[in-house]
Amino acid sequence: MIRKTLKFFIICSVILGISLSNMPFYVLSSVLDAYIASHNIVDMAWHLSKNKNVVDKFTTHRNLVEKIRIHEAQAAIIAQYTGGLLVYADGTVGTPKYQTFDDTTGFGVEQSASSVGASAINWIRVAASPTNDQWIIATRDAANVIKAQVCTGVDGGVSCGAPTTITATAGTSGFNNFDVAYEQTSGDALLVYGTATTDELRKIEWTGGAWTLDAAITTTRTTGIVEWVELTSRAASNQIGIAYSDANDDVSAYRWNGTAAADEATAVITATAVTGNVRKFDVSFEGTSGDMLVVAWVAGAGTAATGQLVGTTWTIGTQTGVDMITGFVDLQEPNPSDNDIAIFSHGTAASANPSEGFEWSGTGVTDGTLGDDVVQNWAANYQIGAVSYLSTTYYGVAVISNSTAADDIDWWTMNSAGAITDQAINTRTRGAARFIDLFDYPSLNKVLLISADANSDLWADTWDGTTPSSTVWVDR
């Protein structure tokens, strides 16, 4: 069990990247978006590689300092090191803190990254290099300044460089309008961000040991201020999926090819996305074809807008086969054995809040009544469900915060045919879950569930793919 009691617990975005293999790694970004009340941050980066037991023991997480106010958590992978990095913002305004993690020795002493200024940190993104012991901490603060610092080393040898100001005018929306990801073969990184200028989307590259080539990305499908940005790296490639939404609730996308933001969507993926202040879209890659997929929820209808990039050709359309009206969208990271992508979404309703589970088959969606549940009532950017890949038996597993048992693990699985099965609830005695995320172990048939509850406690549970029952989730 991980249990961390945090007063004033705030989560705005949590991203965990987990890999337990010495093969090329996924940086699992754009996963959890939830904010429960104020500002400040936690960001968690797992440096995982060759030890198959990494992240399988969490008891030392209780040693984390108390009274941290969390606004964001994120995790990434450092392939050369078995362990992890937890980055967070506490009462020290403007200074990200971190602790290293090793599966044998647990968490190290609290250390400070470089200060990013005199304003409270509102968002943190972390990406870890697939080629060396390096990671990037990107922050957005209450003064609407986005900065990035590059850290190197492991454990007591960690050193963070001076932060680089990416922009001092990130806009006043307060949303997550930036993201960072590494190219998985070159080791260079890409940071994409919005500004206060209408319809301005920009990129800057980390290459050759410096931030360089800051330039506007030409946007021809949208006209509003950029509010949300999501990146995802394609395994064994320098490609990075870029998707974003603006203040007009338009959604568009590009694919980074290693040198440029290319392959802009040939039309807006939707001009009528849901209006709730959630991540109303997500981006992923099909596991075998490498095709890119963006899914966004359309307002006022049980319809998902999709944009699929095959080669250099976009197919943009709507999927009316889904039957619920929701808002937040979560796509699983690539399924290594197929082009199927399990998708979870939940609504933004103050009562009778719906959730939806369905499959992208590589050509369209498959949906049924199973996986359609009522989750707890939504408020200010809760993330109350998530989905992940598990194995060739369970192509997808999703966990939700049920409206009648919000502290329990309510879950469903999806098989290779896209059929969803509602599984037996695993009971817990906790506060109602306000934020949920899931991460698969690429080298094991195992999934990690991270949840934060209404009592400001942080929990970890795992399922190893054994026959589903009411007791298979293990409280870590």
Side-chain angles (χ1 to χ4, degrees):
M1 177 188 76
I2 291 180
R3 182 177 179 180
K4 165 124 179 7
T5 300
L6 302 171
K7 293 185 179 180
F8 310 108
F9 185 76
I10 316 301
I11 296 180
C12 280
S13 172
V14 179
I15 302 177
L16 282 146
I18 293 183
S19 176
L20 302 173
S21 166
N22 57 6
M23 301 300 288
F25 301 93
Y26 302 145
V27 177
L28 306 185
S29 17
S30 315
V31 189
L32 301 177
D33 294 341
Y35 13 168
I36 302 176
S38 165
H39 295 188
N40 280 352
I41 299 181
V42 166
D43 181 350
M44 189 169 173
W46 294 108
H47 321 258
L48 309 174
S49 66
K50 300 171 184 175
N51 183 348
K52 292 189 176 182
N53 295 315
V54 171
V55 196
D56 204 26
K57 299 176 182 177
F58 297 101
T59 54
T60 54
H61 214 149
R62 301 190 189 105
N63 297 329
L64 294 175
V65 295
E66 293 190 3
K67 298 184 180 179
I68 298 172
R69 293 189 294 173
I70 297 181
H71 192 264
E72 149 126 353
Q74 177 173 356
I77 311 140
I78 293 183
Q80 290 68 37
Y81 178 60
T82 56
L85 184 77
L86 175 69
V87 183
Y88 52 90
D90 61 8
T92 308
V93 174
T95 301
K97 301 295 181 65
Y98 66 87
Q99 295 183 41
T100 56
F101 170 80
D102 179 85
D103 194 48
T104 301
T105 61
F107 281 90
V109 298
E110 180 182 81
Q111 300 177 68
S112 295
S114 299
S115 173
V116 297
S119 297
I121 300 170
N122 290 345
W123 292 88
I124 292 176
R125 295 298 231 190
V126 170
S129 170
T131 60
N132 54 40
D133 295 330
Q134 178 188 90
W135 61 92
I136 296 169
I137 301 172
T139 58
R140 173 178 168 147
D141 66 20
N144 302 317
V145 177
I146 296 173
K147 293 187 178 182
Q149 56 187 286
V150 179
C151 304
T152 58
V154 295
D155 203 5
V158 171
S159 176
C160 295
T164 297
T165 297
I166 304 300
T167 179
T169 56
T172 59
S173 71
F175 301 134
N176 182 32
N177 67 339
F178 72 102
D179 202 0
V180 62
Y182 274 92
E183 298 172 356
Q184 295 297 289
T185 55
S186 73
D188 294 339
L190 176 71
L191 193 154
V192 176
Y193 63 99
T195 73
T197 301
T198 298
D199 201 30
E200 183 172 50
L201 184 69
R202 301 186 67 86
K203 63 84 182 174
I204 189 169
E205 301 170 48
W206 173 257
T207 183
W211 290 105
T212 186
L213 301 174
D214 186 0
I217 298 172
T218 301
T219 55
T220 59
R221 313 303 174 205
T222 56
T223 58
I225 291 176
V226 174
E227 290 187 337
W228 301 84
V229 174
E230 294 292 330
L231 305 183
T232 191
S233 301
R234 180 184 173 191
S237 167
N238 288 332
Q239 293 180 358
I240 297 173
I242 303 169
Y244 72 100
S245 65
D246 69 6
N248 298 326
D249 300 312
D250 298 336
V251 176
S252 189
Y254 303 79
R255 183 177 59 196
W256 177 260
N257 62 15
T259 57
D263 301 307
E264 181 184 18
T266 49
V268 65
I269 292 170
T270 180
T272 57
V274 293
T275 58
N277 291 327
V278 292
R279 191 188 69 209
K280 56 201 71 178
F281 65 93
D282 202 2
V283 57
S284 189
F285 287 95
E286 295 176 358
T288 53
S289 72
D291 297 339
M292 192 176 92
L293 178 69
V294 178
V295 176
W297 214 260
V298 177
T303 302
T306 55
Q308 183 187 29
L309 180 60
V310 179
T312 58
T313 301
W314 280 95
T315 300
I316 297 171
T318 54
Q319 306 293 325
T320 57
V322 291
D323 54 356
M324 305 294 284
I325 302 172
T326 54
F328 169 84
V329 181
D330 190 30
L331 274 62
Q332 68 175 182
E333 290 300 312
N335 173 347
S337 57
D338 209 329
N339 290 327
D340 291 25
I341 297 174
I343 302 169
F344 168 82
S345 63
H346 68 70
T348 57
S351 63
N353 191 25
S355 71
E356 173 76 89
F358 59 102
E359 175 218 32
W360 171 262
S361 67
T363 57
V365 301
T366 301
D367 186 31
T369 57
L370 296 180
D372 297 352
D373 300 288
V374 178
V375 294
Q376 66 170 299
N377 297 339
W378 182 82
N381 299 302
Y382 288 0
Q383 180 175 311
I384 41 187
V387 67
S388 174
Y389 174 80
L390 181 75
S391 68
T392 55
T393 301
Y394 301 106
Y395 269 27
V397 54
V399 173
I400 67 171
S401 180
N402 186 289
S403 61
T404 59
D407 60 335
D408 295 335
I409 300 175
D410 191 353
W411 58 304
W412 53 256
T413 57
M414 186 187 82
N415 66 16
S416 60
I420 288 175
T421 301
D422 291 325
Q423 302 294 353
I425 290 175
N426 283 223
T427 58
R428 295 293 188 266
T429 303
R430 303 172 179 175
R434 296 289 188 250
F435 135 88
I436 291 171
D437 209 357
L438 285 168
F439 311 96
D440 68 296
Y441 290 57
S443 63
L444 295 175
N445 293 336
K446 196 170 188 177
V447 65
L448 167 68
L449 165 65
I450 297 290
S451 59
D453 68 17
N455 300 325
S456 301
D457 293 339
L458 182 64
W459 302 86
D461 299 86
T462 56
W463 176 46
D464 62 4
T466 54
T467 302
S469 75
S470 61
T471 59
V472 292
W473 285 89
V474 178
D475 184 341
R476 309 307 304 195

